[in-house]
């Protein structure tokens, strides 16, 4: 196994930069630069020197022995001063050390998984944690990274293994003192797993939205103040505003942190019948994006006919309250009147949805659970045919177990690994 190294902190000037070395020659390489290393899981101040005994930097050095490290290998971390020159000098010295090479993107994390320090779901949770922009994303990613999803999958797997062993015992030892009909116990185990799978699958859609961001479409007729409201929400001129109807032709997106929730507001074309070809295309796109959005803010006067039908949780407000004088259900992008109340209404609706969020946050997770659920449905049908079909039911159970094992990276995920780890930075 190669010994790898890379800068583990962000590129560019900083107060401190961390350079990580991992692999069988990590301690030897660290000692060659630092002269001596502190004891395991301790830190020490050392002078880092090159092969010609020239001082490179004074750094804090930490050491970890396998398997008690992030990667599960011997690891040395050099906490240097964060100037570009210092980091480059240290990396250059390491690159000339025999047996060492620069790590590939995500290679430290990949080794952590291969050495059993993380499962694949935790790896994805770590990637989400690094990318987290809001408090909700941070909390969710941290739950997955802590192993909560893997623990849940392990519980399902144990119940299914128990179910399969009951069926196989009946098949293999039919002439011995083993219950002939194990269907009741197997059914109880299946009920529990399937109920939890259904709940987790349903919650995965909300969890995925927390990870990628909710979409809130601002819709209404032309000149209703949609773009002005978007600019007020964004705190900048994100959209062109004009008194000319049909100014907005395409969907304009503004991503925001809405009190901890990731939200993308969509400014859409004014909804009306039009003979202008370009405007008509914009209106069609507006309707499509609005229908697909998680929530719609509809700017509409009383009894006004719209091209889109409000859904139960949609927020309907009266536009241009600075002109209409509607202080109860009105909003004005010009003066900001009613904007705070509107934000709170949006946040409340979206926050309520997050209460049912599951641990599974990716389409891959949901697909694996749905696949396992399908196999378990087949098991139920087969069990109804009696003990003579237990061998077929046991095979379907094994398929359900394999689907769950793929979720946490135990099997059949080799084709996914390169794609997943490529999203990590070089030092992770």
């Amino acid at each position: 196994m190669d010994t790898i190294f890379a800068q583990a902190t962000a590129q560019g000037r900083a107060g401190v930069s961390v350079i990580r070395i991992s692999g069988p020659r990590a301690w030897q390489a660290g000692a060659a630069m630092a002269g001596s290393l502190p004891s395991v899981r301790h830190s020490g101040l050392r002078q880092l020197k090159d092969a010609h005994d020239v001082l490179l930097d004074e750094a804090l050095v930490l050491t970890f022995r396998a398997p008690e490290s992030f990667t599960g290998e011997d690891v040395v971390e050099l906490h240097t001063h964060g100037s570009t020159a210092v980091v480059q000098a240290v990396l250059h010295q390491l690159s000339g050390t025999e047996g060492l090479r620069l790590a590939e993107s995500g290679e430290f994390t990949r080794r952590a998984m291969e050495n059993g320090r993380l499962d694949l779901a935790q790896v994805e949770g770590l990637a989400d944690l690094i990318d987290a922009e809001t408090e909700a994303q941070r909390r969710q990613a941290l739950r997955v990274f802590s192993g909560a999803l893997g623990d849940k999958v392990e519980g399902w797997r144990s119940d299914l293994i128990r179910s399969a062993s009951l069926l196989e015992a009946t098949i293999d030892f039919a002439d011995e003192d083993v219950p002939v009909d194990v269907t009741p116990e197997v059914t109880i185990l299946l009920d529990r797993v399937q109920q939890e799978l259904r709940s987790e699958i349903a919650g995965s859609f909300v969890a995925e939205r927390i990870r990628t961001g909710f979409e809130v479409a601002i819709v209404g007729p032309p000149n209703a103040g949609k773009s002005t409201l978007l600019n007020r929400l964004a705190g900048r001129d994100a959209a062109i505003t004009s008194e000319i109807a049909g100014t907005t032709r395409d969907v304009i997106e503004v991503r925001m942190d809405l009190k901890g929730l990731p939200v993308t507001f969509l400014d859409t074309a004014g909804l009306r019948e039009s003979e202008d070809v370009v405007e008509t295309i914009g209106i069609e796109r507006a309707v499509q994006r609005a229908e697909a959005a998680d929530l719609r803010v509809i700017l509409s006067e009383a009894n006004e006919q719209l091209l889109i039908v409000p859904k139960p949780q949609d927020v309907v407000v009266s536009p241009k309250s600075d002109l209409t004088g509607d202080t109860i259900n009105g909003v004005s992008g010009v003066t900001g009147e009613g904007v705070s109340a509107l934000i709170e209404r949006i946040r409340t609706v979206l926050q309520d949805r997050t209460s049912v969020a599951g641990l599974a946050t990716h389409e891959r997770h949901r697909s694996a659970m749905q696949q396992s659920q399908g196999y378990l449905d087949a098991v139920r049908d087969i069990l109804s045919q009696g003990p003579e079909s237990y061998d077929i039911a046991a095979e379907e159970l094994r398929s359900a177990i394999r689907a769950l094992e793929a979720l946490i990276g135990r099997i059949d995920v080799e084709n996914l690994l390169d794609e997943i780890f490529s999203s990590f930075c070089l030092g992770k």
Side-chain angles (χ1 to χ4, degrees):
M1 173 80 64
D2 292 339
T3 297
I4 57 176
F5 68 91
Q7 182 179 349
T9 46
Q11 301 291 324
R13 188 174 64 179
V16 175
S17 290
V18 177
I19 297 170
R20 178 182 289 149
I21 314 168
S22 178
R25 298 176 66 88
W27 277 49
Q28 180 180 343
M33 292 187 68
S36 65
L37 296 177
S39 57
V40 178
R41 302 182 73 83
H42 285 75
S43 63
L45 190 64
R46 299 289 189 273
Q47 289 188 335
L48 305 182
K49 298 182 178 181
D50 66 11
H52 303 289
D53 207 35
V54 175
L55 180 65
L56 301 177
D57 191 28
E58 193 169 57
L60 192 68
V61 180
L62 289 82
T63 58
F64 305 87
R65 277 293 190 194
E68 300 299 323
S69 70
F70 174 73
T71 61
E73 303 173 333
D74 287 348
V75 169
V76 173
E77 287 186 356
L78 309 175
H79 294 224
T80 69
H81 292 94
S83 77
T84 302
V86 167
V87 172
Q88 289 303 316
V90 174
L91 292 177
H92 178 73
Q93 175 61 27
L94 290 173
S95 67
T97 303
E98 183 180 357
L100 269 65
R101 65 169 174 82
L102 188 65
E104 299 174 359
S105 296
E107 190 169 4
F108 289 111
T109 307
R110 185 163 187 162
R111 290 191 177 193
M113 192 194 81
E114 291 172 346
N115 292 325
R117 300 293 291 173
L118 301 173
D119 62 38
L120 188 55
Q122 286 178 286
V123 168
E124 290 166 313
L126 176 58
D128 292 342
L129 186 60
I130 292 171
D131 291 337
E133 298 176 334
T134 71
E135 179 63 14
Q137 289 174 323
R138 181 195 66 81
R139 290 197 304 265
Q140 177 171 274
L142 200 56
R143 284 200 303 164
V144 179
F145 178 54
S146 68
L149 180 57
D151 291 342
K152 180 168 284 192
V153 170
E154 189 59 38
W156 297 336
R157 180 175 173 273
S158 296
D159 282 347
L160 296 183
I161 288 175
R162 169 64 179 169
S163 300
S165 66
L166 286 170
L167 296 177
E168 288 167 353
T170 304
I171 297 166
D172 295 338
F173 305 102
D175 297 332
E176 301 184 23
D177 188 18
V178 177
V180 174
D181 187 6
V182 296
T183 302
E185 184 174 352
V186 171
T187 299
I188 291 173
L189 292 170
L190 292 181
D191 284 344
R192 182 164 64 200
V193 172
Q194 287 198 284
Q195 182 178 354
E196 292 185 11
L197 275 173
R198 281 191 292 270
S199 176
E200 193 60 44
I201 290 169
S204 69
F205 292 96
V206 178
E208 187 174 13
R209 269 313 199 198
I210 294 174
R211 183 175 65 85
T212 61
F214 293 97
E215 285 194 347
V216 177
I218 303 174
V219 298
N223 279 342
K226 299 182 296 299
S227 297
T228 304
L229 177 59
L230 177 73
N231 290 341
R232 171 67 65 169
L233 292 168
R236 59 185 175 88
D237 289 338
I240 299 173
T241 61
S242 168
E243 294 299 323
I244 302 173
T247 299
T248 302
R249 299 296 181 95
D250 207 348
V251 177
I252 298 172
E253 302 183 8
V254 175
R255 189 173 178 86
M256 295 175 55
D257 180 342
L258 189 66
K259 297 188 176 181
L261 293 175
V263 176
T264 298
F265 283 96
L266 311 176
D267 178 25
T268 61
L271 304 183
R272 67 173 179 177
E273 299 292 342
S274 176
E275 295 182 359
D276 184 297
V277 175
V278 177
E279 185 181 3
T280 299
I281 294 173
I283 292 171
E284 290 174 352
R285 290 184 178 179
V287 172
Q288 291 172 359
R289 290 297 299 274
E291 290 289 351
D294 300 286
L295 183 66
R296 282 147 295 278
V297 174
I298 301 175
L299 303 184
S300 175
E301 299 286 359
N303 302 320
E304 188 171 24
Q305 295 295 317
L306 293 173
L307 297 181
I308 189 168
V309 178
K311 297 181 180 179
Q313 286 191 309
D314 286 346
V315 178
V316 182
V317 292
S318 176
K320 299 184 177 181
S321 63
D322 56 309
L323 300 178
T324 65
D326 187 348
T327 59
I328 298 176
N329 192 43
V331 65
S332 171
V334 174
T335 65
E337 183 179 357
V339 172
S340 295
L342 175 61
I343 290 174
E344 185 58 29
R345 289 175 67 182
I346 295 171
R347 188 201 67 81
T348 299
V349 172
L350 297 181
Q351 190 69 53
D352 287 345
R353 295 186 187 181
T354 64
S355 64
V356 297
L359 290 168
T361 56
H362 290 67
E363 169 63 28
R364 185 186 71 82
H365 302 163
R366 183 164 56 249
S367 178
M369 291 187 296
Q370 289 171 333
Q371 188 177 14
S372 183
Q373 186 79 283
Y375 287 125
L376 296 182
D377 288 338
V379 171
R380 286 184 173 280
D381 292 338
I382 295 168
L383 287 177
S384 66
Q385 300 172 19
E388 62 275 8
S389 300
Y390 278 0
D391 54 340
I392 302 175
E395 181 57 37
E396 292 294 317
L397 274 171
R398 284 190 287 270
S399 295
I401 294 168
R402 285 193 291 269
L404 295 178
E405 289 177 336
L407 193 160
I408 55 176
R410 289 193 177 183
I411 60 168
D412 296 336
V413 293
E414 197 62 35
N415 59 326
L416 292 171
L417 295 184
D418 290 339
E419 179 180 350
I420 291 172
F421 287 110
S422 67
S423 67
F424 283 86
C425 58
L426 188 64
K428 201 63 180 176

